[in-house]
Structure formats: structure tokens, C-alpha cells
Amino acid sequence: MVEQQQQQSSSSRPSYYLFIAICSLTLSFGAAVGVNVQKMSMMKELKLKRRRVYYLQPLWMCGMVIIIIDALGDFVFVGLAPQTLLAPLGVLSLGWNIVLAPIFNPTEIVTKKVVGATGIIYVGSILTVLYAADTNPNYTLETIEQYATTRTFILYIIGCIVFQLGLAYHGGWMRRPRN
């Protein structure tokens, strides 16, 4: 009896995750729409002589409401599916933005390089979702402390810090006037 329930539960899991994935994709699309509506509002406001602050622009507020609804939906779905499924789908909002930016803001130019890079992101996200684990491991505080003190993790943190400092240094170097 227990085995039948487990088999039935595991067989319905893919359709459940498909529903969650579709909802997550819809929410990432909504986030891109919200951001582009806000940008469109700001561009229209630049053309006016007397500019209003963002929160007094109806179109900008409409975009903000869309983004808030999207964030609430993300909050709900994070509890319903593994993060290994939802995180890559959230990244797809970048792809939606590439598609929607020229529609909402005709001055935006999308190059072949941007489309190619977005395609790579989409392929990576799809592969990550297809091969993602369907369980969420539960770690105790002691286990997390053990992982945080391993040599690999410490080297990873040091590498991240060095990389960030290198980017900051390089960014400062790029802005310095050259003789």
C-alpha cells in the first residue's frame, strides 16, 4: 500500500513540476514586462519639460505593481518546488527582456551578439532544469558549518573576493585618464 502511494506520488511529480515551471516562466515574463513598462515611463518622462518623480508616474507605478505581483508569486513558488528547478527559470527573465526591450522602447538595439549570448543562457537554463534534482536536501546547522570550513569552500570564497577586487581595480583603471 505504501509502495503504491510512493509510486503514484512520484509519477504525478513531473506534471506538478511542469505546472510550477510554467507558472515560474510566466512570472519571469511578468518581471520583464514590469521593468520595461517602468523604463518606457521614464523615457516618456524625459521628453516632458516638467518631470515628475517616479512614484507619481502612473505608467511607472503600473510596472511596479507588476513587479510586486511577480515577487509575491516567486515567493509562493519557492516553497512548492526545488530551487534547482526555479533558479534557472528565473534567469530566463533576461531573455524575456531582450525580446521585450525593443517592443516597449523602440530605441533599444539588439545585436546578434546579444541574441547569441541570450541563446546560450536559454540552452544552459533548459539543460539545468532538465537534469535538476527533484528533491530539496535538508541540512542541519552543524552540516552547514562543516561545509563552510572545508578547504574547497574557503578557496572558493577567497577566489570570489580576489575576483571582485580585481574587477573593482580594473573598473577604476578603466576610468582613469590616460596620457
Side-chain angles (χ1 to χ4, degrees), residues 12 16 18 27 32 37 39 42 63-64 66 68 70-71 77 80 94 107 112 116 123 126-127 157-158 165 178:
S12 67
Y16 171 74
L18 179 64
L27 289 170
V37 166
K39 185 170 183 183
M42 290 186 289
M64 181 56 89
I66 292 170
I68 290 171
D70 171 70
F77 288 115
L80 297 177
L94 173 68
T107 58
K112 289 181 182 178
V123 169
I126 290 168
L127 289 174
I157 293 296
I158 291 170
L165 291 174
R178 292 189 179 101

Side-chain angles (χ1 to χ4, degrees), residues 34 37-39 41-42 52-69:
V37 166
Q38 286 183 321
K39 185 170 183 183
S41 175
M42 290 186 289
R52 297 175 288 185
V53 292
Y54 296 134
Y55 58 85
L56 293 179
Q57 300 172 23
L59 201 54
W60 190 89
M61 285 304 293
C62 181
M64 181 56 89
V65 168
I66 292 170
I67 291 170
I68 290 171
I69 290 170

Side-chain angles (χ1 to χ4, degrees), residues 10-165:
S10 64
S11 67
S12 67
R13 199 174 293 255
S15 61
Y16 171 74
Y17 285 156
L18 179 64
F19 171 73
I20 299 295
I22 290 170
C23 290
S24 182
L25 280 171
T26 305
L27 289 170
S28 70
F29 179 78
V33 168
V35 169
N36 279 291
V37 166
Q38 286 183 321
K39 185 170 183 183
M40 184 173 66
S41 175
M42 290 186 289
M43 298 307 272
K44 284 183 179 181
E45 200 70 22
L46 285 175
K47 296 176 184 174
L48 301 176
K49 289 182 181 178
R50 186 169 175 231
R51 295 182 190 158
R52 297 175 288 185
V53 292
Y54 296 134
Y55 58 85
L56 293 179
Q57 300 172 23
L59 201 54
W60 190 89
M61 285 304 293
C62 181
M64 181 56 89
V65 168
I66 292 170
I67 291 170
I68 290 171
I69 290 170
D70 171 70
L72 292 173
D74 283 342
F75 179 74
V76 169
F77 288 115
V78 163
L80 297 177
Q83 195 63 23
T84 55
L85 173 70
L86 296 177
L89 293 175
V91 169
L92 297 180
S93 63
L94 173 68
W96 294 125
N97 195 29
I98 297 298
V99 172
L100 294 174
I103 295 169
F104 282 93
N105 304 298
T107 58
E108 296 284 328
I109 299 172
V110 178
T111 64
K112 289 181 182 178
K113 287 182 181 179
V114 171
V115 172
T118 304
I120 291 170
I121 291 170
Y122 266 83
V123 169
S125 296
I126 290 168
L127 289 174
T128 304
V129 169
L130 288 176
Y131 295 104
D134 65 345
T135 59
N136 281 329
N138 292 322
Y139 295 113
T140 63
L141 181 58
E142 291 79 21
T143 307
I144 294 171
E145 287 172 346
Q146 278 181 327
Y147 288 149
T149 57
T150 62
R151 181 183 317 215
T152 306
F153 183 76
I154 292 170
L155 289 174
Y156 170 75
I157 293 296
I158 291 170
C160 287
I161 292 169
V162 168
F163 181 73
Q164 290 293 322
L165 291 174

